[in-house]
Amino acid sequence: MNPRLFPFFLFLASFCFSQEISYPKKHTLDVSQFYGSILLHNSDISHLINAHPAGVILGYNRKTYGSKPWHRLYNYPDMGYSFIYQNMNNGTLGDNYGLFAHFNFYFLQRNLQFRIGQGVSYNTDPYDKNTNFRNNAYGSHLLSSTFLMLNYHKENIFKGLGFKAGISIIHYSNANFKAPNTSTNTFALNAGLVYDLDGGETTDFMNNPKPEKLIEPIRYNLVFRAGLNESDVVNSGQYGFIVLSAYADKRVGRRSALQLGADAFFSNFLKELIRYQSISFPENGVSADDDYKRVGLFVGHELFINKLSIGTQLGYYIYYPFDFEGKMYNRVSLKRYFGKKVFAAVSLKSHGAAAEAVEFGVGVRL
């Protein structure tokens, strides 16, 4: 991913939040310490798993009470921002500082909180062929980062002060913007405090009627995506790519839509990878004339949260002249709608757990 484009995501998420003017307004702060382990998702980072990372998670939350129909639909979630400092306790990996936009969703009479956050992190000591060649996890200072928290969450135990504790997963990757990019996943235990800025004053949820069932015809979508990425060969160069997508979707309720469509991939980094392999590994039977283009079919699901949506797609290449990471691929997208037809999207395209690229896109839903 192009580091200069990371702020676009935060702007996108911030814009989504800023458009929600809720009444009444209520805010909380939380702070949690965490301690955990790096998961061995790839044997190539086994030499980096020799200590237990620790850090702190700070959160600012704005509560919803039902001023918008989608609030009740999702059990009155919170919207907010998080900051994470993570000391990897490993001189090779350095430290990470991250800024995120997040949602909090509540279950079990609001005693169980699930937080999902997405943002950008800064790593203090990425790969350098001369000074830090052992860091094959992070190839750049700026990293895309996702975190999940599942916590027992109890607010206002005493004068606005509450408690939370549970588990967290924190992911760091630059999505193959620059090699190497083996990435890390931290599993941690966390515990902390929650403070209500109103000092514990209670506010009732608006008991609005349940939104009526949404019925829509099949919609047709066209999407243009682009970005920069690099193969896993270090210093092979960063190249632009274009993805053209077309798909149909059918709403199956206010929350969800099912998708069926096709992608055409024009990934220029594969041109260089094909040339490199044809010269360096002739025994693999790769020709410099092999086509770098790919075409795939996919099925997907879109989860609508007001003007924001989260998409997941699973695809299979039907045109696949050059073997790269297998014929199956997957995509996770964050979309923001502007009106009923036009949207912007940031997507992570992967092959299983191996990220290929972050895609920035614009589209229309007809």
Side-chain angles (χ1 to χ4, degrees), residues 309-326:
S309 75
I310 299 171
T312 53
Q313 296 171 345
L314 179 64
Y316 181 83
Y317 296 114
I318 58 171
Y319 180 70
Y320 187 69
F322 175 71
D323 184 20
F324 178 75
E325 304 286 2

Side-chain angles (χ1 to χ4, degrees), residues 151-185:
N151 281 190
Y152 171 77
H153 181 91
K154 191 67 175 178
E155 296 182 12
N156 196 24
I157 297 174
F158 179 73
K159 294 185 178 180
L161 194 63
F163 173 78
K164 65 187 303 179
I167 58 175
S168 303
I169 297 176
I170 309 172
H171 170 76
Y172 299 104
S173 167
N174 73 16
N176 265 36
F177 167 71
K178 188 174 182 180
N181 181 53
T182 314
S183 75
T184 64
N185 298 295

Side-chain angles (χ1 to χ4, degrees), residues 348-364:
L348 175 64
K349 190 241 182 162
S350 309
H351 300 89
E356 179 181 324
V358 167
E359 305 165 334
F360 295 87
V362 293
V364 60

Side-chain angles (χ1 to χ4, degrees), residues 10 17 28-34 54-61 79-87 95-104 115-124 145-147 149 164 168 170 172 190:
L10 292 179
F17 292 169
T28 64
L29 300 176
D30 60 70
V31 55
S32 299
Q33 286 190 305
F34 66 89
V56 62
I57 302 173
L58 304 177
Y60 160 78
N61 312 282
M79 300 175 288
Y81 301 94
S82 297
F83 171 81
I84 297 180
Y85 163 69
Q86 181 166 343
N87 183 343
D95 297 338
N96 288 328
Y97 298 83
L99 182 63
F100 304 79
H102 72 243
F103 278 104
N104 297 328
R115 177 177 296 180
I116 178 169
Q118 177 67 45
V120 55
S121 293
Y122 178 85
N123 177 258
T124 59
S145 186
T146 305
F147 80 100
M149 297 179 75
K164 65 187 303 179
S168 303
I170 309 172
Y172 299 104
N190 66 268

